[in-house]
Amino acid sequence: AQSVTQLGSHVSVSEGALVLLRCNYSSSVPPYLFWYVQYPNQGLQLLLKYTTGATLVKGINGFEAEFKKSETSFHLTKPSAHMSDAAEYFCAVSISGSARQLTFGSGTQLTVLP
Amino acid sequence: DVKVTQSSRYLVKRTGEKVFLECVQDMDHENMFWYRQDPGLGLRLIYFSYDVKMKEKGDIPEGYSVSREKKERFSLILESASTNQTSMYLCASSMRFDEQYFGPGTRLTVT
């Protein structure tokens, strides 16, 4: 069975600072990895995904994530935070070849300070 | 664009009532999912369906049932609502091996 750990339920950064949201996974088979964002009172929106190929994945709104198999990590980064990035972020993993079931982390609430 | 809609954004029901949450997707997706979201717990899968009339239990199916009579519609049923089912309910759909697309959620309060 796969699992996901997001370190830090709340992260605060200043506007313009680097955003780093941590995600570690466990999976007995090659994983598919996802980052979703949830703005207040909305559903989840896909930021980016890793399936196969290039380990550095670029997503929407300037976010990117790097799949590191040796560290079983898929951390989300953005060079410069904007106020509009304030939201909750979820990392998720699925068994390779199937997105039928996603296992989600518990989420990280990102606050951007002016 | 994929669109997943849920019948209500906010719902208030009384303990013991039968509750129906409806979800419709417009992209001919095979898979549909129901999650509940609670603070600090992330999203937990209740049920999913990979075809019409097919369903599989997720991690927390107790107290819930589902129905999928048409490909585009997936219903979550609370047979007898209880206060511990107060939560945000999210529906999602996906193609076979692709990412999931989520609806806006239904915030259910059971009093």
Side-chain angles (χ1 to χ4, degrees):
Chain A
Q2 63 270 27
S3 66
V4 177
T5 301
Q6 290 185 241
L7 295 175
S9 58
H10 292 84
V11 170
S12 294
V13 300
S14 298
E15 193 174 17
L18 171 72
V19 176
L20 170 61
L21 304 183
R22 298 178 186 275
C23 173
N24 288 90
Y25 70 91
S26 67
S27 175
S28 57
V29 297
Y32 283 6
L33 295 160
F34 305 81
W35 274 101
Y36 284 86
V37 61
Q38 185 180 34
Y39 298 103
N41 297 315
Q42 295 186 26
L44 275 68
Q45 177 184 0
L46 182 70
L47 272 179
L48 49 80
K49 65 179 179 181
Y50 168 80
T51 53
T52 58
T55 56
L56 182 62
V57 180
K58 296 186 184 299
I60 62 171
N61 302 338
F63 284 92
E64 61 183 35
E66 186 171 10
F67 170 58
K68 291 187 177 181
K69 185 178 179 181
S70 61
E71 299 178 8
T72 61
S73 68
F74 191 57
H75 302 330
L76 182 71
T77 60
K78 182 175 181 178
S80 177
H82 295 162
M83 298 297 290
S84 59
D85 294 327
E88 189 156 23
Y89 293 79
F90 292 93
C91 182
V93 61
S94 73
I95 297 171
S96 176
S98 171
R100 284 184 180 176
Q101 291 193 61
L102 289 178
T103 299
F104 285 86
S106 55
T108 297
Q109 182 68 48
L110 176 67
T111 300
V112 182
L113 304 171
Chain B
D1 280 351
V2 176
K3 191 166 186 182
V4 179
T5 56
Q6 296 183 228
S7 51
S8 305
R9 292 300 303 274
Y10 300 93
L11 209 52
V12 180
K13 295 292 183 180
R14 295 194 179 277
T15 301
E17 279 192 82
K18 191 169 186 176
V19 181
F20 292 87
L21 302 182
E22 304 284 337
C23 176
V24 178
Q25 50 95 3
D26 66 356
M27 285 301 290
D28 202 35
H29 283 173
E30 298 176 351
N31 305 319
M32 296 189 75
F33 308 82
W34 275 107
Y35 296 90
R36 66 176 282 175
Q37 181 182 14
D38 300 289
L41 298 178
L43 276 73
R44 293 179 291 169
L45 183 65
I46 304 172
Y47 269 97
F48 67 101
S49 168
Y50 52 88
D51 202 351
V52 175
K53 297 191 185 296
M54 304 301 289
K55 61 184 179 183
E56 287 194 24
K57 294 180 179 179
D59 299 320
I60 52 165
E62 296 79 19
Y64 304 94
S65 62
V66 291
S67 172
R68 194 170 181 196
E69 297 295 320
K70 294 184 178 181
K71 191 174 186 179
E72 68 272 16
R73 188 179 297 270
F74 192 36
S75 302
L76 179 69
I77 304 156
L78 287 66
E79 294 288 343
S80 178
S82 64
T83 55
N84 62 13
Q85 292 179 310
T86 292
S87 187
M88 170 72 90
Y89 290 88
L90 292 166
C91 174
S93 71
S94 72
M95 287 297 286
R96 194 172 176 199
F97 297 129
D98 209 345
E99 70 263 23
Q100 294 182 19
Y101 295 84
F102 284 81
T106 296
R107 188 168 294 281
L108 173 67
T109 301
V110 182
T111 62

